[in-house]
Amino acid sequence: KVTVVGGAGNVGATVARSIANRELADVVIIDIADSKAQGIALDILQACPVEGSDTRLVGGSDYALSAGSDVVVITSGVPRKPGMSRDDLLAVNYKIMQDVTANVMKYSPDAIIIVVANPLDAMAQAVHKLSGLPRERVIGMAGVLDSARMRAFIATELNVSVENVHAFVLGGHGDTMVPLPRYSTVAGIPITELLPAERIAAICERTANGGAEITKLVGTSAWYAPGQSSARMVEAILKDKKLIEPCSVYLQGEYGVSGQFLGVPVKLGARGVEQVIEITLTPDEKAALDKSAAAVKELTTVIGV
């Protein structure tokens, strides 16, 4: 059973639909927009016969519907508007996390929580502190999305299948994220062997600004790629896939960072974060990661988490 909080929004509805299409679990859509949550659940339910999926869906504003969830995906929050940074969302979305976390813990104390609300790393840290859960069970969805964006740009640049492309993006989910070209490959070949430095730099810059680019074009935050990325994490947990993906997790000394969330490669399985994987960074890469960690620290300090 998977609950999507904020499921009447674009990101949440995409998560719910993807889970239903893959028949991963029964889905509960929770949203303060009660009738809209009911309607979206009903719409996706009626799409399930077309997909051949027996997923059951319900929606509403009552968290009692979510009781006993295995995974809870929190997509609640005010979306980013043109000209608004993720940091501008901090205070208002922190208040939302306080309410959501209290209800999630009341009805699903054994759940693994995936946080999608922005600013991502700070909101994940807030949920971790508010819930009192071990770090394995509170995970921020960031690197999966950022790496997917980078993969799309690499595949387009080289005119190759995205299935051949792997990309690693570490650090905070924002302008200070750290794309790692040395660890980004096409059929096992590092992109540093396939592209000139200036094209790699352009791809890294576009990746870091990926969310802002879409916000400028559409007028609100992206939803298809974030929703699909969240569903991929849900699938890895429910199927115990031991999938290695970059996610925002609470670090306890790894990469020289302690006491805060930051995007690093982890192994996702039935217990949530089953391993934090440390990779060797060059001095420049480490400096960029430290800068990203400091940017996240500024936000968490403001809200006292």
Side-chain angles (χ1 to χ4, degrees), residues 143-144 146-155 158 160-169 179-192 194-195 203 207 232 243-246:
V144 180
D146 297 326
S147 296
R149 285 173 170 158
M150 189 173 180
R151 288 173 66 196
F153 300 148
I154 291 169
L158 289 169
V160 298
S161 170
V162 291
E163 293 183 30
N164 286 135
V165 181
H166 289 270
F168 253 106
V169 182
L180 295 180
R182 290 191 308 119
Y183 287 101
S184 300
T185 62
V186 177
I189 306 166
I191 64 169
T192 50
L194 300 171
L195 287 168
I203 288 171
T207 299
R232 179 172 173 83
L243 185 71
I244 295 175
E245 287 280 7

Side-chain angles (χ1 to χ4, degrees), residues 5 11 19-20 25 40 91 95 128-129 135 185 230-231 240 262 268:
V5 183
V11 175
I19 292 170
I40 287 174
K95 291 178 181 177
H128 176 250
K129 181 175 181 180
R135 73 168 182 166
T185 62
S230 305
D240 194 22
L262 198 66
L268 289 179

Side-chain angles (χ1 to χ4, degrees), residues 126-226:
V127 171
H128 176 250
K129 181 175 181 180
L130 292 164
S131 67
L133 290 174
R135 73 168 182 166
E136 292 79 12
R137 289 170 52 198
V138 179
I139 316 164
M141 190 292 296
V144 180
L145 168 62
D146 297 326
S147 296
R149 285 173 170 158
M150 189 173 180
R151 288 173 66 196
F153 300 148
I154 291 169
T156 300
E157 181 76 20
L158 289 169
N159 193 27
V160 298
S161 170
V162 291
E163 293 183 30
N164 286 135
V165 181
H166 289 270
F168 253 106
V169 182
L170 307 186
H173 183 57
D175 300 338
T176 62
M177 69 178 70
V178 186
L180 295 180
R182 290 191 308 119
Y183 287 101
S184 300
T185 62
V186 177
I189 306 166
I191 64 169
T192 50
E193 300 289 320
L194 300 171
L195 287 168
E198 63 271 16
R199 293 311 305 151
I200 291 173
I203 288 171
C204 290
E205 182 177 0
R206 192 177 183 193
T207 299
N209 295 315
E213 181 181 1
I214 290 175
T215 298
K216 184 177 180 180
L217 291 167
V218 179
T220 187
S221 300
W223 61 89
Y224 292 126

Side-chain angles (χ1 to χ4, degrees), residues 106-130:
K106 178 180 178 180
Y107 289 102
S108 301
D110 297 322
I112 292 169
I113 301 176
I114 297 173
V115 182
V116 188
N118 278 321
L120 188 286
D121 305 277
M123 293 302 99
Q125 186 145 332
V127 171
H128 176 250
K129 181 175 181 180
L130 292 164

